[in-house]
Amino acid sequence: MVQNVKKVGENRYRETFGRCFEEFTVGDTYEHRPGRTITKTDNTWFTLLTMNTHPMHFDDEYAKASEFGKCIVCSPFTVALMVGMSVTDVSQKAIANLGWEDIKMTYPLFEDDTLYAESKVLDKRESKSRPGAGIVTVETLGFNQDGKQICSFVRKMLIAKQGHSVEEKVNY
């Protein structure tokens, strides 16, 4: 988690988060903390909120008859948590998410598992159309509490350069 402090007055400071385009280095890996333990309520609410009616995510009796023997975490919830966990490290100063590619669910995540994530910078380049920004590409990996990889995806973001973030424009 990238946390900085800036002075905003006499004996007064404000925390800030995230990286500007210039602060990314290809090859660097950011471990996102804290982890997140998934509860039954988390999984059920997300599943039903998104109108997913598959009983593998909320019906214990149904799930007992599956190869897993219990409910599995809804995969879009896993991806959403991993994205959220990565914000302070990779997209707090993003202008826009440009897309996700190659999303893979490599191992099931279960209720009461703890999810951890990390992101590796794969590429960065200047934006051709926006001189105050650049494009950063990361690969994010998710792991359970036993270190088993459960998910991966590649994400591209348009990131503000120093002096061009919304945070700086509004003195946030």
Side-chain angles (χ1 to χ4, degrees):
M1 178 184 319
V2 178
Q3 180 181 16
N4 296 303
V5 177
K6 67 179 177 180
K7 189 170 185 173
V8 294
E10 186 64 33
N11 298 321
R12 190 171 193 83
Y13 304 88
R14 183 177 303 143
E15 64 184 353
T16 64
F17 294 90
R19 290 179 171 79
C20 289
F21 175 75
E22 296 87 348
E23 297 171 298
F24 285 92
T25 301
V26 173
D28 281 359
T29 299
Y30 311 119
E31 295 182 0
H32 311 304
R33 294 296 185 269
R36 176 69 154 71
T37 302
I38 315 306
T39 69
K40 181 171 199 54
T41 302
D42 294 331
N43 192 35
T44 300
W45 283 0
F46 185 90
T47 300
L48 298 177
L49 178 68
T50 58
M51 298 177 68
N52 180 338
T53 59
H54 199 301
M56 276 300 298
H57 305 303
F58 56 83
D59 186 328
D60 290 333
E61 293 306 310
Y62 181 95
K64 282 180 188 176
S66 75
E67 67 183 272
F68 304 112
K70 58 184 173 179
C71 287
I72 58 174
V73 173
C74 184
S75 55
F77 184 39
T78 302
V79 173
L81 282 172
M82 290 170 58
V83 170
M85 293 168 78
S86 72
V87 167
T88 56
D89 285 316
V90 300
S91 61
Q92 189 78 34
K93 290 185 173 40
I95 297 164
N97 282 306
L98 301 178
W100 288 265
E101 301 172 351
D102 205 22
I103 298 172
K104 294 179 184 172
M105 308 309 292
T106 53
Y107 191 80
L109 189 64
F110 299 103
E111 295 165 353
D112 298 322
D113 278 355
T114 300
L115 176 63
Y116 296 95
E118 66 184 40
S119 295
K120 181 177 183 177
V121 181
L122 301 179
D123 188 44
K124 71 180 256 190
R125 69 170 179 81
E126 304 276 333
S127 171
K128 294 176 180 136
S129 61
R130 296 188 182 212
I135 296 172
V136 176
T137 304
V138 299
E139 178 184 41
T140 301
L141 306 176
F143 301 91
N144 68 13
Q145 67 280 357
D146 299 321
K148 181 78 174 172
Q149 184 179 317
I150 52 92
C151 180
S152 65
F153 56 82
V154 174
R155 178 179 175 209
K156 287 187 181 186
M157 302 151 292
L158 184 65
I159 305 288
K161 290 184 177 178
Q162 292 172 348
H164 296 275
S165 71
V166 172
E167 179 180 287
E168 292 164 301
K169 290 177 185 174
V170 298
N171 193 29
Y172 193 73

